[in-house]
Amino acid sequence: MGGPGASPAPPPGHPSSPPPARTARRRLPRWAVRWGSLIVPVLLAVADALLVNGVTLGLELNVSLVAAAALLVRRRLPALVFLVTLPGILIGYVWFAPMIALYTVARCRPDRWLLWISALLLAAAHFIPWPVSDFEPTAYRENTLTLIDACVTSVGPIALGLLVRTRGELAARIEDLTRSRRHADELIAEQVLATERARLAREMHDVVAHQVSLISLQAGAVQISAEDAKAREGARTIRELSVRTLDELRHMVGILRAAGGDHEELTPQPRLADLPRLIELSALDVRYETDGAARRQGHPEAVERAAFRIVQEALTNVRKHAPGARVTVRVDAPEAEEPGAPETPGGARRRAPGEEETRGLRIEVRNGPPDASAVAPGLPSGGHGLVGLRERAQLLGGTLEAGPTEEGGFVVRADFPTTPRATGPS
């Protein structure tokens, strides 16, 4: 008990309150339940035989022990085991073995005629005494009580067996219904997601496509009316970028409307061969470098598409954060390294005779410090570009690293394996 100055106990659920005691009981292992349900009835039948017939071997005890031992195979041969246990109740006056056998018949073989015949046989074995010459037809009161007892003995196990079987079937049906309901909930969630994607696609098309179309029209008008050659070239570049943006927008809208299904691409997706054109339209001081292996080797479409998006995002970041900086874009195919592989004197791995050359893909975009005289364009930035590119690279089994350089610039480097982990839409 606390004194007068003791603070009251915190209410349940408070962070400082002690955790509630566990009331759930630990369930027994499945093997223990299985073997227990097989052995325990046999032990009960053996105890019944010894209590009724004593421990001295004789006809009564022998047939009772045989009936108890037969329960070991009652699940495989329920009807035969029941017939073997009938002499136990007729001669040895034991109840457990035949009643357990009849319960197993009702649970495993719920055939109506089989149950009727089994109930009549058990009632007759219980009602008729052994030896049969001891039967007294004139003992009406005693015979009536014995008949009632025999009927209860035969009907009870059948009712319990059918009840347990029905309960198991009901549990299986409930599990099927639960699984069906879960599947229906998933379908409803997919429909809701498809509806939301379609709504988002409509809004994106209405808001963005209209503005980009106006930009394209204005650029076309400037291209026609401008007298300066540089102005016309800039207007032509703006118009071409607007058209490409509209194509990308249509592709994205198509994906959103497809609700994540596997559909054919609406427009050809950019690949490594489109990088020179992207660099040309970037309006930046870019030097593009690539080796012969990267040009010769046909990489998976998902890898080339991810590489194009990485270069595109890196150039966009340079335009936003480092105006006037010099940029170097390098794409090469470094030879895959394998532990324990023999190396040539120059350090490269020596391939075995007949082995094909396997290379991954590396993309590096490096820019220097920004030009102090250049004016930042003030473009909006959400801060999610590199995060999305890193996730895309990881989905394909690659890596992406980005960070500042010692010269005051920034570098983005991505490595993709020879065989990507996934080649879905990326």
Side-chain angles (χ1 to χ4, degrees):
M1 295 179 62
S7 59
H14 192 272
S16 60
S17 61
R22 295 183 179 180
T23 58
R25 298 181 179 177
R26 294 183 58 184
R27 300 184 61 180
L28 294 175
R30 183 175 299 179
W31 64 268
V33 176
R34 181 178 180 85
W35 285 100
S37 61
L38 179 65
I39 300 299
V40 171
V42 177
L43 296 179
L44 291 176
V46 171
D48 183 25
L50 295 176
L51 290 175
V52 173
N53 300 290
V55 295
T56 303
L57 293 179
L59 179 62
E60 293 81 1
L61 181 60
N62 292 337
V63 295
S64 300
L65 293 178
V66 169
L71 295 179
L72 291 174
V73 293
R74 67 184 186 276
R75 293 174 179 174
R76 295 184 179 182
L77 305 170
L80 181 60
V81 169
F82 172 71
L83 293 178
V84 173
T85 59
L86 286 179
I89 192 174
L90 176 64
I91 301 175
Y93 302 101
V94 292
W95 286 11
F96 280 178
M99 292 178 67
I100 294 174
L102 184 57
Y103 161 81
T104 307
V105 172
R107 184 178 179 182
C108 301
R109 300 279 299 275
D111 182 77
R112 179 179 301 178
W113 290 106
L114 178 61
L115 295 181
W116 274 106
I117 294 174
S118 300
L120 291 176
L121 290 177
L122 182 59
H126 189 183
F127 178 75
I128 299 175
W130 181 263
V132 182
S133 58
D134 293 343
F135 180 70
E136 297 182 3
T138 57
Y140 301 109
R141 182 175 179 275
E142 184 177 353
N143 291 338
T144 303
L145 293 177
T146 305
L147 180 61
I148 295 175
D149 192 10
C151 293
V152 173
T153 303
S154 59
V155 172
I158 293 178
L160 183 59
L162 293 178
L163 178 62
V164 173
R165 180 181 179 85
T166 303
R167 183 179 179 274
E169 294 176 351
L170 182 59
R173 182 65 60 86
I174 292 176
E175 184 178 356
D176 292 340
L177 292 177
T178 303
R179 191 182 300 110
S180 301
R181 184 175 180 180
R182 189 183 302 113
H183 181 64
D185 293 340
E186 293 176 356
L187 293 179
I188 293 175
E190 292 178 0
Q191 293 177 358
V192 172
L193 181 59
T195 303
E196 185 65 20
R197 283 181 172 176
R199 185 187 64 82
L200 180 60
R202 289 193 299 269
E203 291 184 359
M204 181 181 297
H205 185 272
D206 295 341
V207 174
V208 181
H210 177 67
Q211 302 294 334
V212 177
S213 300
L214 291 179
I215 294 174
S216 178
L217 292 176
Q218 294 293 333
V222 172
Q223 183 180 0
I224 295 175
S225 60
E227 298 180 358
D228 187 15
K230 291 185 177 180
R232 289 196 301 270
E233 180 65 21
R236 184 188 66 80
T237 303
I238 294 175
R239 180 178 177 83
E240 185 173 348
L241 289 175
S242 301
V243 173
R244 293 188 61 183
T245 302
L246 285 176
D247 290 339
E248 293 286 343
L249 179 62
R250 293 192 186 98
H251 172 69
M252 187 176 300
V253 169
I255 292 178
L256 291 175
R257 287 179 175 174
D262 296 332
H263 295 272
E264 185 180 357
E265 300 286 355
L266 300 181
T267 57
Q269 292 301 291
R271 305 186 69 165
L272 289 180
D274 300 315
L275 281 181
R277 183 58 177 166
L278 173 67
I279 294 173
E280 179 184 352
L281 297 175
S282 64
L284 297 173
D285 185 6
V286 182
R287 182 178 65 183
Y288 179 54
E289 300 176 356
T290 183
D291 59 359
R295 290 192 299 267
R296 290 193 308 267
Q297 186 173 0
H299 299 278
E301 180 181 356
V303 172
E304 294 197 9
R305 189 186 309 173
F308 181 90
R309 295 304 182 192
I310 289 173
V311 176
Q312 186 181 43
E313 179 66 21
L315 295 180
T316 301
N317 290 338
V318 172
R319 192 180 299 109
K320 291 179 182 179
H321 307 294
R326 294 184 177 181
V327 186
T328 301
V329 177
R330 178 165 183 79
V331 179
D332 56 8
E335 190 171 359
E337 298 180 358
E338 295 184 5
E343 296 184 353
T344 61
R349 187 180 67 87
R350 183 183 299 123
R351 297 190 303 274
E355 179 186 1
E356 296 183 359
E357 182 179 6
T358 57
R359 294 173 178 264
L361 185 66
R362 174 175 295 173
I363 301 94
E364 182 179 286
V365 182
R366 181 186 298 269
N367 66 274
D371 188 358
S373 61
V375 179
L379 298 175
S381 177
H384 305 290
L386 292 179
V387 176
L389 294 180
R390 185 174 289 108
E391 292 177 354
R392 175 177 292 187
Q394 291 175 354
L395 287 175
L396 295 174
T399 59
L400 185 140
E401 300 176 356
T405 61
E406 297 179 357
E407 297 81 9
F410 201 83
V411 61
V412 177
R413 184 182 299 108
D415 289 283
F416 293 96
T418 303
T419 303
R421 180 167 32 185
T423 57
S426 54

